[in-house]
Amino acid sequence: MSRKMKNKVLSNLRIERIASEGKCVAHYEGKVVFVQNVAPGDLVDVRITKGRSAFMEGEAINFHEFSKDRVEPFCRHFGTCGGCKWQHINYDLQKTYKWQQVVDQFTRIAKVPIPKVSRIIGSANTQYYRNKLDFTFSNNRWLTKEEINSEETFERNALGFHIPKMFDKIVDIDHCYLQGNISNEIRNSLRDFALREKLSFYDIRNQVGLLRNLIVRTSSTEEIMVIVQFGEEDKVAVQKVMQFLKDCFPSIDSLLYIINLKKNETFHDQEVITFYGKDFIEEQMEGLRFRIGPKSFYQTNSDQAYELYKVARSFAELDGREVVYDLYTGTGTIANFVAKMAKQVIGIEYVEAAIEDAKINSQLNGLKNTLFYAGDMKDVLNEEFLETHPKPDVVITDPPRAGMHEDVVKMLMKLQPQKIVYVSCNPATQARDIALMAEKYSVEKIQPVDMFPQTYHVENVVQLILKS
Ligand SMILES: C[S@@+](CC[C@H](N)C(=O)[O-])C[C@H]1O[C@@H](n2cnc3c(N)ncnc32)[C@H](O)[C@@H]1O
């Protein structure tokens, strides 16, 4: 298929099934066409956006028939905002598609013998399930076609989410169904205040503007953390904004800000200043308390995190005699969750502040058999470390989407723990890593868990057993 296909319209393609990353598959003259934002069963005309030799990619420009499995999306931002791409598919089918993705990735990428993949554990809450949202301020609000075609002038400042694949366009959000209502209230009030006070919204192209980013974190203990990132060091304006939040939202437990003059919004290397209250919030799970600082990762769906950890713990099959390594431990949540059932647990994690929280979390919970180390996994988990620490009987690993570094996989193959429990938010990289371990490990159990309803994302837990 040549580049000549680009922009060509293919008529009446029947959407057949879901592929990875939420794309759907259709066929044209025997070639696969990946189509975004459709549902299996739709009959559509597709404009080709990429024509490659093996496959094409395109967008649906005209719908002749809608799939019978479609449901009415509940959010008015659906289709523009990149947040919940599967709102048009009913939840039972979403779960089936996610399960199928796991099966497909293990069949196509891992290519190792696998047991029957267990039914996905669904989320009781399919709306308002997130405990963290990250909103961006922008002076370049995304305009709808109707707005562009009208002669009117519109407010261009916005506070909301990025349009998929457009770093400089933000859809202004007035209600988000992902996080409880306090999050909507804080975001909308802050935007209204900033507009009233004529404070500048960030201009990402020119890297100027006062208001840059807003993060709202909530927890199952009903604590609230708010972090505002500023792109300018204007003390008076910063004070004004933070005081507004403090006065309007007395329920905020941890009110923080960052002056971030860097090119990007990441703040792991920036100073976080406490304006009011504590510099952390707390989660609770099975009577355990977890302290979460502004730089620390915590699973974004607290209720499903509990389901996930229960699966990980049951796959670890601990009887109290084992040394467990919890790789990519974050704030030590899994480490602390399994500690009572193990002899010793060693957690390793990149973010130093998270490791500090992990240690405090053990203290808070009276756990004395945990040890935590900060650093890049491939550097920390080396020969010297293994000479000075007991070897693991069980390794629980929960890497970021990119999966484990090759050196970490090699080290696991050398260490040869009896059991590896691999938790992943990306079954594709998980399947890739497991293929590298297939010589020594067999896949015994696979359990997908849905942490992110209305999206194509799926979490997956695999139990690997050392071959005898
Ligand atoms: C998916 S999270 C899992 C966290 C934890 N297991 C939990 O359930 O809360 C992945 C973690 O890996 C950490 N991380 C990412 N890259 C890393 C690296 N190269 N070395 C060590 N940790 C890393 C991140 O900071 C993050 O805390």
Side-chain angles (χ1 to χ4, degrees):
M1 198 63 55
S2 72
R3 288 213 178 87
K4 274 186 241 153
M5 291 300 287
K6 192 162 178 191
N7 287 325
K8 194 171 168 180
V9 174
L10 310 177
S11 303
N12 289 304
L13 296 195
R14 179 71 72 185
I15 302 300
E16 297 158 24
R17 61 178 176 83
I18 294 271
S20 64
E21 299 190 340
K23 292 176 190 162
C24 285
V25 172
H27 279 88
Y28 175 74
E29 295 184 348
K31 293 267 180 211
V32 167
V33 187
F34 291 110
V35 192
Q36 299 264 20
N37 304 330
V38 289
D42 287 346
L43 185 68
V44 290
D45 296 338
V46 173
R47 190 179 65 80
I48 296 302
T49 50
K50 266 187 203 161
R52 299 235 171 107
S53 53
F55 62 88
M56 293 181 277
E57 284 182 40
E59 56 178 9
I61 53 166
N62 191 23
F63 286 80
H64 297 290
E65 281 175 29
F66 283 116
S67 161
K68 63 176 179 18
D69 297 320
R70 277 181 172 263
V71 288
E72 196 57 41
F74 44 80
C75 177
R76 82 171 188 84
H77 302 296
F78 175 75
T80 329
C81 164
C84 306
K85 290 210 163 149
W86 273 8
Q87 269 184 33
H88 61 306
I89 296 172
N90 77 58
Y91 187 53
D92 280 343
L93 263 180
Q94 288 182 24
K95 287 188 285 184
T96 308
Y97 292 154
K98 290 180 193 219
W99 177 88
Q100 189 63 48
Q101 260 188 66
V102 172
V103 175
D104 287 354
Q105 306 289 22
F106 275 80
T107 317
R108 292 203 191 118
I109 300 174
K111 293 183 181 145
V112 295
I114 55 165
K116 193 168 175 294
V117 176
S118 302
R119 265 173 79 149
I120 187 166
I121 299 174
S123 177
N125 296 320
T126 56
Q127 295 181 351
Y128 304 114
Y129 59 81
R130 282 187 68 104
N131 54 33
K132 180 177 177 227
L133 280 181
D134 206 316
F135 305 103
T136 302
F137 289 89
S138 167
N139 68 344
N140 197 5
R141 179 170 77 81
W142 174 258
L143 296 179
T144 59
K145 280 196 181 116
E146 295 74 42
E147 284 174 325
I148 292 168
N149 292 336
S150 78
E151 302 286 286
E152 289 173 55
T153 38
F154 293 95
E155 173 61 61
R156 292 307 299 271
N157 286 321
L159 175 56
F161 297 124
H162 284 272
I163 298 280
K165 295 188 186 155
M166 290 196 190
F167 81 102
D168 65 336
K169 293 276 188 307
I170 296 295
V171 55
D172 200 44
I173 299 290
D174 67 0
H175 188 95
C176 177
Y177 287 84
L178 285 177
Q179 192 175 27
N181 248 335
I182 187 72
S183 165
N184 283 310
E185 286 170 24
I186 292 172
R187 184 200 56 249
N188 290 349
S189 307
L190 182 55
R191 177 182 42 227
D192 292 349
F193 175 75
L195 290 173
R196 263 194 327 269
E197 295 290 321
K198 300 200 177 353
L199 301 173
S200 58
F201 285 46
Y202 204 66
D203 175 345
I204 195 157
R205 285 193 176 266
N206 296 307
Q207 305 268 309
V208 289
L210 177 77
L211 289 159
R212 194 163 183 182
N213 171 282
L214 166 73
I215 296 169
V216 181
R217 290 183 94 154
T218 44
S219 75
S220 55
T221 57
E222 303 203 337
E223 290 193 317
I224 303 165
M225 173 184 283
V226 174
I227 311 167
V228 184
Q229 285 202 66
F230 295 93
E232 285 171 5
E233 217 168 355
D234 178 341
K235 286 199 177 106
V236 175
V238 168
Q239 171 70 26
K240 204 185 226 181
V241 170
M242 300 312 289
Q243 192 62 42
F244 166 78
L245 287 171
K246 179 172 182 275
D247 293 344
C248 274
F249 297 98
S251 58
I252 296 176
D253 299 276
S254 172
L255 182 55
L256 314 171
Y257 71 92
I258 299 158
I259 310 284
N260 183 351
L261 307 178
K262 286 192 312 177
K263 284 199 165 162
N264 63 49
E265 280 178 6
T266 58
F267 61 89
H268 58 91
D269 52 355
Q270 302 287 296
E271 187 192 359
V272 181
I273 301 156
T274 304
F275 184 81
Y276 171 76
K278 315 185 281 185
D279 59 358
F280 63 90
I281 53 173
E282 272 189 21
E283 272 289 349
Q284 263 185 23
M285 191 182 277
E286 241 180 35
L288 295 172
R289 290 160 65 195
F290 296 122
R291 171 192 284 237
I292 303 156
K295 294 184 182 175
S296 299
F297 175 90
Y298 190 81
Q299 298 286 348
T300 48
N301 181 340
S302 303
D303 292 347
Q304 285 303 90
Y306 183 38
E307 299 305 319
L308 182 75
Y309 292 167
K310 280 192 286 189
V311 174
R313 185 173 59 188
S314 84
F315 280 14
E317 294 165 344
L318 304 174
D319 67 10
R321 287 177 294 182
E322 297 86 354
V323 172
V324 180
Y325 282 13
D326 179 26
L327 306 185
Y328 309 91
T329 191
T331 50
T333 333
I334 296 181
N336 285 311
F337 191 72
V338 302
K340 278 197 186 127
M341 299 175 81
K343 184 172 153 204
Q344 185 170 36
V345 188
I346 298 176
I348 306 173
E349 155 70 37
Y350 194 73
V351 178
E352 270 180 37
I355 285 297
E356 288 315 308
D357 284 347
K359 289 177 186 167
I360 294 170
N361 286 337
S362 286
Q363 276 167 21
L364 277 176
N365 294 299
L367 299 165
K368 297 197 168 64
N369 60 341
T370 57
L371 281 176
F372 292 100
Y373 296 95
D376 194 321
M377 196 63 62
K378 66 177 181 354
D379 304 329
V380 177
L381 199 62
N382 58 19
E383 296 292 347
E384 200 191 321
F385 185 89
L386 298 170
E387 276 163 24
T388 48
H389 293 85
K391 286 206 166 158
D393 304 293
V394 178
V395 168
I396 301 175
T397 183
D398 183 9
R401 287 189 68 73
M404 291 192 282
H405 190 282
E406 235 183 281
D407 291 354
V408 178
V409 177
K410 278 188 195 142
M411 191 45 95
L412 289 183
M413 295 289 281
K414 218 168 170 187
L415 270 173
Q416 296 190 21
Q418 272 308 312
K419 227 167 273 159
I420 298 175
V421 179
Y422 193 147
V423 183
S424 168
C425 57
N426 186 350
T429 53
Q430 185 184 40
R432 177 204 67 198
D433 292 349
I434 286 175
L436 297 173
M437 298 193 271
E439 200 189 308
K440 294 202 173 132
Y441 284 89
S442 60
V443 178
E444 294 297 321
K445 293 178 186 167
I446 305 182
Q447 176 64 69
V449 180
D450 187 18
M451 311 284 286
F452 315 106
Q454 320 302 347
T455 78
Y456 55 77
H457 294 288
V458 58
E459 195 85 17
N460 191 42
V461 192
V462 173
Q463 185 198 54
L464 299 162
I465 302 285
L466 187 64
K467 291 178 182 171
S468 45

